[in-house]
Amino acid sequence: MTLKKSSHRWTQVNADSLTQRHRDEEKMVRRQLQKQLVQAWEHAITQDYLTQRINSERSLQESYWACLNRLLSPKSRRMFIEPHLTISTSDHSKRYYPDIVICNTKQVIGVVELKYEPRKLPSLKKDMGSLRDISANREHLSITNKRFRGRSIDERRYDLPSNVLFVWAGVHRTPADSFSSPKTPLMSEGIDELRGCFLELHAETSSNGNPNVFSRSG
């Protein structure tokens, strides 16, 4: 009996150790991705916005994708632009097309919504609602690379696990209380589905200087 108890205890400790190791690996992946997202955002603004190569949301999307593409390994990362996601309920179905989705070799690790309103205050309702809905229904969603034809077609389905990083990135006018102020709450405040897995990327514009580029997370 003593041997069995000891063996069971060892098995439980070993399982707990593996679970903790998995959590630590997930945190490391998220920190690395967050660092790359911030770096790519800074590059897109300083290299393309300041040289007036960005003049629409689509060109912001293209610039940001290109900057990410230079940072993310093609062997371990895949990006989708505006993939089709459908959330179905008993009453209706709703479609979502996030601007950029980033995957590792098995799962989705990042979902990005972009906004380009350099002369206006940022409109948040639609994008934040989309991120909230995708997070709340992630167990029912997956992404596949259907829009490809060739020898090495990728037939995998990329699911959305619990450690997905949800991102809002926008070029917008500086509000009376800057989003960079410690007094300004996170855009995700009050949205339980985004708690602990949300990243904001800002380029706050002004009429007489370069934009204020910064990030916040929570």
Side-chain angles (χ1 to χ4, degrees), residues 132 135 188-197:
R132 178 200 61 219
S135 177
S188 59
E189 184 170 290
I191 304 177
D192 292 340
E193 294 85 353
L194 299 178
R195 183 177 295 127
C197 59

Side-chain angles (χ1 to χ4, degrees), residues 114-198:
L114 297 167
K115 187 65 67 178
Y116 185 77
E117 298 176 312
R119 295 177 177 271
K120 297 169 55 180
L121 296 177
S123 51
L124 306 176
K125 185 176 181 180
K126 180 179 179 296
D127 289 339
M128 296 302 294
S130 295
L131 293 175
R132 178 200 61 219
D133 292 348
I134 293 171
S135 177
N137 294 275
R138 69 180 78 187
E139 67 273 15
H140 304 301
L141 296 171
S142 63
I143 293 173
T144 58
N145 192 16
K146 296 179 180 179
R147 303 288 307 269
F148 177 83
R149 188 183 184 206
R151 180 179 300 175
S152 58
I153 185 170
D154 180 3
E155 297 180 348
R156 285 171 293 186
R157 299 181 68 88
Y158 296 88
D159 297 321
L160 281 75
S162 59
N163 64 323
V164 177
L165 183 63
F166 294 91
V167 184
W168 183 94
V171 178
H172 59 86
R173 194 179 81 199
T174 304
D177 293 321
S178 169
F179 281 97
S180 63
S181 170
K183 298 180 181 179
T184 304
L186 285 170
M187 291 163 43
S188 59
E189 184 170 290
I191 304 177
D192 292 340
E193 294 85 353
L194 299 178
R195 183 177 295 127
C197 59
F198 182 67

Side-chain angles (χ1 to χ4, degrees), residues 33 37 100-103 107-112 163-167:
L33 177 62
L37 286 161
I100 300 174
V101 171
I102 304 167
C103 305
Q107 298 172 316
V108 174
I109 58 174
V111 178
V112 182
N163 64 323
V164 177
L165 183 63
F166 294 91
V167 184

Side-chain angles (χ1 to χ4, degrees), residues 7 10 23-24 49 56 70-71 80 84-85 106-108 119 126 132 145 161 180 184-186 189 217:
S7 176
W10 181 88
R23 290 173 180 168
D24 291 342
Y49 179 76
S56 66
R70 288 194 290 269
L71 293 174
F80 295 87
H84 173 198
L85 299 175
K106 298 178 180 179
Q107 298 172 316
V108 174
R119 295 177 177 271
K126 180 179 179 296
R132 178 200 61 219
N145 192 16
S180 63
T184 304
L186 285 170
E189 184 170 290
S217 61

Side-chain angles (χ1 to χ4, degrees), residues 41-54:
W41 180 249
E42 292 172 348
H43 287 174
I45 301 304
T46 57
Q47 295 175 6
D48 291 337
Y49 179 76
L50 290 183
T51 56
Q52 301 187 38
R53 292 179 176 177
I54 295 175

